[in-house]
Amino acid sequence: MRGPLFAAAWLASASALAAEPRDLCPDRPGLGTPACTVERGATVLEIGLADWTGDDAHGLRTEQFLFGDALLRFGLTDTLEAQVGWTAYGRVRERDTVSATTTRASRFGDVSLALRRNLRRPDGGGFSLALMPYVSLPTGRAPVGADDWSAGINLPMSIELGAVSLGLTPNIEAAVDSDGDGRHLAYGSVAGLGFDVSDTVSGSFEVSLSRDRDPAGHGTQALAGLSFGWQPDEDAQWDAGVNAGLDDDSPDLQIYLGYARRFR
């Protein structure tokens, strides 16, 4: 009798282990992209509750407010997820400091579609690597939308080193021209250091460098970002972050708050 009983106990234990959920691994917050994928059959909703960006350049003060910047992620297999993103509402205010005139525009944003295929460690542990092609559809209008489609690919990777983790997200994109007609080459990468503050709070420090070859004028953006996430339970996270521009081509400051929830 011991053999069948042992086999039944082993199968029950293996089934319980297989059903154990992965650690929640949301895309937000931060500048980079994680290599982990949502487990099969699970859904993760991530939403930017409020996002403000301010920039002063060439006598023009620009402020952008985004609300409901949402991302829905579906676990198709153990290593493949699909993503749908959309900005529900955006408002841009521009003030010419020379003429003292102000313009305002409120718009919906564009829809983005993506697939993330993990090539190693879909739970994001150890050394993890993924491939993520994406496309943006012009459902919104400028200045919140891009007025044309764009497409690109990310190659997110990460490695855990004890109490900290290192992340890298190289990217190449056919980006929309600034006049909204046609595309050009844009490329860059994000490098980040992740760390645990406590059992429920994590943080990250990141640097982003990107090169944009717009026909209207080439530019390089450099950003530094600091963000924190708090997970009150295994299926939810609240987050906050700030990004600062390091050169004249980058926005001066961005501050944001968000939330992520897993359904399974």
Side-chain angles (χ1 to χ4, degrees):
M1 292 293 292
R2 284 186 178 181
L5 288 176
F6 176 80
W10 182 87
L11 288 173
S13 175
S15 177
L17 289 173
E20 184 177 346
R22 298 174 186 168
D23 290 340
L24 180 63
C25 186
D27 271 31
R28 45 177 320 116
L31 297 166
T33 301
C36 57
T37 52
V38 178
E39 60 265 41
R40 182 198 301 264
T43 301
V44 175
L45 173 62
E46 307 184 24
I47 186 164
L49 301 175
D51 184 314
W52 171 85
T53 302
D55 185 46
D56 281 298
H58 311 297
L60 189 67
R61 171 65 177 174
T62 303
E63 292 182 290
Q64 177 178 265
F65 303 85
L66 300 179
F67 301 96
D69 191 11
L71 177 67
L72 198 59
R73 303 165 61 196
F74 307 91
L76 302 179
T77 72
D78 290 336
T79 59
L80 179 67
E81 71 172 55
Q83 300 184 359
V84 180
W86 182 56
T87 301
Y89 177 77
R91 181 175 176 83
V92 176
R93 181 174 61 194
E94 294 183 340
R95 177 175 175 78
D96 190 316
T97 57
V98 177
S99 63
T101 57
T102 301
T103 60
R104 297 177 177 85
S106 299
R107 301 281 190 268
F108 295 125
D110 294 337
V111 168
S112 64
L113 305 174
L115 289 173
R116 185 181 302 161
R117 172 70 164 88
N118 184 274
L119 306 175
R120 181 180 175 86
R121 296 298 298 267
D123 62 354
F127 174 68
S128 186
L129 176 67
L131 195 64
M132 182 179 160
Y134 62 88
V135 61
S136 180
L137 307 178
T139 55
R141 290 190 300 155
V144 178
D147 280 343
D148 205 346
W149 67 268
S150 63
I153 189 166
N154 292 333
L155 186 65
M157 61 189 79
S158 62
I159 183 169
E160 291 185 344
L161 300 171
V164 300
S165 63
L166 300 178
L168 190 67
T169 310
N171 163 270
I172 187 168
E173 180 178 358
V176 180
D177 293 349
S178 58
D179 63 2
D181 184 17
R183 275 150 297 281
H184 61 273
L185 177 65
Y187 53 91
S189 186
V190 177
L193 174 69
F195 53 91
D196 290 331
V197 179
S198 69
D199 291 339
T200 58
V201 178
S202 60
S204 67
F205 174 74
E206 297 170 295
V207 175
S208 169
L209 188 66
S210 59
R211 179 66 174 169
D212 190 281
R213 300 179 64 86
D214 194 307
H218 297 185
T220 300
Q221 285 196 358
L223 294 167
L226 180 65
S227 60
F228 294 93
W230 170 55
Q231 295 189 7
D233 59 58
E234 63 182 11
D235 290 319
Q237 176 181 274
W238 296 90
D239 67 73
V242 58
N243 300 322
L246 303 178
D247 63 0
D248 292 338
D249 291 330
S250 306
D252 294 335
L253 190 66
Q254 179 187 22
I255 302 172
Y256 58 88
L257 301 169
Y259 178 72
R261 180 78 187 183
R262 175 169 58 184
F263 304 90
R264 48 191 173 87

